[in-house]
């Protein structure tokens, strides 16, 4: 009689596919954000930040706007690097589950 700890049943192929697809998606999006391949993300973020500053200035706030971390280019690149790392971990987990099964 085999116990579950000895690996009588391998991981489900569905789980492997889900982990693999999620890992590839996270890696693709993360690298795209981190390296800003086409510049779309940073241009959009800069445009949103500029509109926000103009709205604050129009309302008569002192300082012309509030600096936010979410609109900065560096923050988006950091998020991209973190997402790419998470994708790599998911792909590594998929590989490990596949070989353990």
């Amino acid at each position: 009689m085999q116990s579950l700890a000895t690996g009588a049943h391998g991981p489900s192929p569905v789980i492997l596919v889900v982990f693999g697809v999620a890992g590839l998606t996270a890696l693709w999006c993360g690298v795209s954000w981190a390296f800003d391949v086409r510049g779309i993300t940073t241009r959009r973020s800069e445009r949103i930040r500029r509109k926000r500053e103009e709205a604050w200035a129009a309302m008569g706030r002192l300082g012309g706007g509030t600096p936010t971390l979410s609109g900065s280019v560096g923050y988006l690149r950091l998020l991209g690097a973190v997402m790419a790392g998470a994708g790599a971990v998911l792909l590594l987990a998929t590989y490990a589950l596949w070989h353990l099964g």
Side-chain angles (χ1 to χ4, degrees):
M1 180 183 275
Q2 289 183 336
S3 67
L4 290 176
T6 60
H9 301 286
S12 168
V14 174
I15 292 175
L16 291 176
V17 168
V18 168
F19 271 42
V21 168
L24 285 174
T25 303
L27 190 64
W28 179 272
C29 292
V31 167
S32 176
W33 283 5
F35 292 115
D36 196 20
V37 177
R38 293 183 287 166
I40 293 171
T41 309
T42 54
R43 281 195 303 266
R44 184 179 302 153
S45 128
E46 185 64 29
R47 202 169 38 243
I48 290 170
R49 189 174 62 81
R50 209 175 310 127
K51 284 182 182 179
R52 187 179 301 146
E53 286 178 357
E54 290 171 1
W56 275 89
M59 290 189 319
R61 304 279 191 226
L62 294 176
T66 57
T68 58
L69 189 60
S70 63
S72 69
V73 175
Y75 183 71
L76 290 175
R77 290 181 188 242
L78 174 69
L79 284 180
V82 169
M83 185 180 284
V89 167
L90 278 173
L91 288 175
L92 187 65
T94 303
Y95 181 76
L97 283 174
W98 181 45
H99 278 289
L100 286 176

